[in-house]
Amino acid sequence: MEDQLNRLARWSKVMISLEELSAIFYKKDQTYEELAARILELENEQILQPVKAAGQTMRTPSIAHRYRIDKSKIQDDFYGQLHRYNEQFHPAIRLDRYYSLTADIFSGDLPFIKQIHTYLTNYGLPKDAVPAPERSVELVGDEKWIDESGGRALLERIALWDLMKIIPVSDPLMMAFNVQSVHNPGQFHLIVENKTTYQALLPVLPETVFSTLIYGCGNKIVKSIEQFDWQYPIGTANHTFYYFGDVDRSGLTIWHLLNGKRTVLPAIPFYEACLCKEPFQGETNQRRDIEAVQRFVAAMPSAKSIQTLLDGGFYYPQEIVKSAELGKIWRDWSWNLINGKG
């Protein structure tokens, strides 16, 4: 029944014919009387309103040949359903997000939410952190559910992600430490996209105010950044992250996705060093991520010409800045004054 209402809510038109309704409510060996009873039930709920001009069937009970769908009534029914489940489920499960989503999303999530409710009722909130596959098995009996089948998004929708003590399964962060600054209350971390840049900057790390140098390994950093708090458990410090990648569509997209995980600022002095040089030509087949470019330019106003540069097929690889220049920039720049820090 819920699936049928969801299909009515998603119906692209206001009007629906009896034949189309029959297809939505079809069940094997269903009789006309059973179909008519269901349609008349929706008539009584004013979800379906008969179009009188279209006429009625000659059979008993008689139903209209055409109906108008009142989708607001379906929404009201959905809100009532959410309220009822809110009262039934474990108090840690929050359904508030679904009031701004469609009923079919909730319908798809509901079987998993019921399993999570059973787990919480039997065991309560977990006390120990475990890897995502282990928690997946405990919750829904599928070790891939959290990482590969939308489980994390669902747990975030019901406000349980942070409470379930899940260790993300991703590649570990590859990073070097500056032992002189790991105990500072305010700590800086530089993430670089490519291995060549990482190797060039590594010898300079002890001469900077940075606590770590992190090798992003391309887009792997978007997942591996989840490991930072586990690998670098200095929770009392105020962490500030900077990113330096290729000035191309792929590089800006990596920064944009990473910035969606936790605040990561463009490493402006490095990017400005790139933009002072002659760009390379040839990168025309990368996916256009307009939002990533717009967000990058907003974070680094001096890069406002980047959109034109990329549209023309030009780009800057990180390696365009030589090792000696990279080291001097990192060693000399007053990083703690960037963006009002320090």
Side-chain angles (χ1 to χ4, degrees), residues 7 199 212 278:
R7 292 180 66 185
Q199 294 291 353
T212 69
E278 287 296 317

Side-chain angles (χ1 to χ4, degrees), residues 147 167-175 214-231 258 261:
D147 283 330
I167 302 173
V169 175
S170 55
D171 289 334
L173 276 176
M174 292 173 273
M175 57 183 174
I214 301 171
Y215 169 44
C217 193
N219 59 16
K220 287 187 177 181
I221 186 63
V222 178
K223 284 292 290 178
S224 60
I225 194 64
E226 298 172 346
Q227 300 286 344
F228 178 81
D229 293 323
W230 299 98
Q231 292 183 227
L258 184 59
K261 291 292 186 72

Side-chain angles (χ1 to χ4, degrees), residues 33 62 71 77 112 122 136 228 256 280 339:
E33 290 75 18
S62 180
K71 296 183 180 180
D77 182 75
F112 300 106
N122 292 336
S136 284
F228 178 81
H256 178 51
F280 288 19
N339 297 293

Side-chain angles (χ1 to χ4, degrees), residues 1 4 22-31 34:
M1 175 176 169
Q4 295 164 348
S22 300
I24 289 177
F25 295 116
Y26 172 79
K27 290 182 182 178
K28 187 177 181 181
D29 299 325
Q30 178 178 255
T31 65
E34 290 170 339

Side-chain angles (χ1 to χ4, degrees), residues 68-289:
R68 184 187 308 275
I69 306 170
D70 188 341
K71 296 183 180 180
S72 67
K73 299 289 185 182
I74 300 175
Q75 194 75 346
D76 290 344
D77 182 75
F78 172 50
Y79 289 163
Q81 181 188 9
L82 285 177
H83 180 72
R84 290 190 296 274
Y85 276 118
N86 224 10
E87 293 183 331
Q88 297 171 22
F89 285 149
H90 187 280
I93 296 174
R94 304 294 300 273
L95 302 181
D96 309 48
R97 286 277 302 277
Y98 291 100
Y99 284 93
S100 61
L101 301 174
T102 57
D104 59 312
I105 293 177
F106 178 69
S107 179
D109 288 353
L110 186 56
F112 300 106
I113 299 175
K114 288 179 176 178
Q115 289 177 279
I116 295 166
H117 163 73
T118 300
Y119 172 87
L120 292 175
T121 301
N122 292 336
Y123 305 106
L125 290 169
K127 296 180 176 60
D128 300 317
V130 300
E134 182 177 339
R135 189 70 78 214
S136 284
V137 171
E138 291 176 347
L139 294 177
V140 302
D142 177 359
E143 76 280 5
K144 298 180 180 179
W145 179 70
I146 288 176
D147 283 330
E148 300 181 24
S149 302
R152 173 168 185 162
L154 186 152
L155 290 171
E156 289 174 343
R157 280 196 288 274
I158 61 177
L160 273 183
W161 174 254
D162 292 331
L163 298 177
M164 295 308 295
K165 295 186 179 296
I166 296 166
I167 302 173
V169 175
S170 55
D171 289 334
L173 276 176
M174 292 173 273
M175 57 183 174
F177 299 93
N178 182 357
V179 295
Q180 301 174 71
S181 62
V182 293
H183 298 299
N184 292 346
Q187 300 196 14
F188 301 97
H189 309 277
L190 176 63
I191 305 167
V192 295
E193 181 179 343
N194 299 329
K195 189 181 298 182
T196 302
T197 306
Y198 176 85
Q199 294 291 353
L201 288 173
L202 187 58
V204 186
L205 175 59
E207 304 172 46
T208 73
V209 297
F210 279 70
S211 298
T212 69
L213 173 64
I214 301 171
Y215 169 44
C217 193
N219 59 16
K220 287 187 177 181
I221 186 63
V222 178
K223 284 292 290 178
S224 60
I225 194 64
E226 298 172 346
Q227 300 286 344
F228 178 81
D229 293 323
W230 299 98
Q231 292 183 227
Y232 195 81
I234 306 178
T236 56
N238 179 28
H239 299 290
T240 302
F241 293 86
Y242 290 93
Y243 184 79
F244 176 43
D246 294 335
V247 184
D248 59 10
R249 296 190 188 281
S250 176
L252 299 191
T253 297
I254 293 170
W255 167 80
H256 178 51
L257 294 173
L258 184 59
N259 192 47
K261 291 292 186 72
R262 57 195 311 163
T263 302
V264 180
L265 306 170
I268 292 176
F270 289 130
Y271 283 112
E272 287 182 337
C274 289
L275 297 176
C276 288
K277 303 182 186 308
E278 287 296 317
F280 288 19
Q281 188 168 23
E283 300 244 336
T284 58
N285 60 349
Q286 293 183 339
R287 185 176 68 87
R288 291 172 60 87
D289 190 336

Side-chain angles (χ1 to χ4, degrees), residues 11 13-18 20-21 36 39-40 42-43 47-52 54-57 62-70:
W11 194 254
K13 298 172 284 187
V14 176
M15 299 293 185
I16 188 167
S17 69
L18 180 56
E20 291 165 331
L21 278 172
I39 292 175
L40 290 173
L42 294 177
E43 273 193 45
I47 292 173
L48 291 179
Q49 300 168 356
V51 178
K52 294 182 179 178
Q56 299 272 134
T57 64
S62 180
I63 51 180
H65 286 294
R66 195 169 186 78
Y67 285 89
R68 184 187 308 275
I69 306 170
D70 188 341

